[in-house]
Amino acid sequence: KLKRDILWLMLFSVLERAYLMHLDRSKVMERQWSGWDAFVTDHCRNPNFALAWDELGGGRQDGQQLETQFIGYINKRLRDVQDEGSTA
């Protein structure tokens, strides 16, 4: 479980970095963002990602280490995916 948690935390960190670069609006990042967004959305469809996010990422209330806007972005993506499933 510890190794799995570390891998999830590494993924969250990479996704956060891509998100923050997207906010910076560099030309290169603008072209790449749609791919990152699709990548995030695909992960949000994975129930294990959602569970890990609740445990280790944005679901924590104890001194979160991830950037607030990024947490909001992932939480919104998780809600969007959940809404997709309920209307399908």
Side-chain angles (χ1 to χ4, degrees):
K1 181 170 174 3
L2 178 62
K3 287 180 184 180
R4 185 183 64 226
D5 288 353
I6 290 169
L7 290 173
W8 282 121
L9 289 169
M10 288 171 61
L11 176 63
F12 297 157
S13 180
V14 168
L15 295 176
E16 179 187 34
R17 179 71 179 133
Y19 178 78
L20 293 173
M21 288 175 66
H22 164 68
L23 290 181
D24 189 33
R25 303 281 187 217
S26 72
K27 295 280 187 212
V28 171
M29 197 59 205
E30 274 188 46
R31 290 192 305 268
Q32 295 175 344
W33 180 247
S34 62
W36 277 105
D37 191 48
F39 184 72
V40 167
T41 301
D42 286 345
H43 275 291
C44 287
R45 289 186 180 109
N46 178 343
N48 292 323
F49 179 90
L51 288 173
W53 180 254
D54 284 343
E55 271 185 40
L56 306 168
R60 296 181 329 159
Q61 301 300 318
D62 58 338
Q64 297 174 355
Q65 296 179 0
L66 298 171
E67 200 275 331
T68 305
Q69 282 182 284
F70 174 69
I71 292 170
Y73 164 72
I74 295 291
N75 287 338
K76 180 179 181 330
R77 280 288 168 262
L78 286 166
R79 283 191 306 275
D80 291 347
V81 165
Q82 198 173 40
D83 291 346
E84 273 177 16
S86 65
T87 59

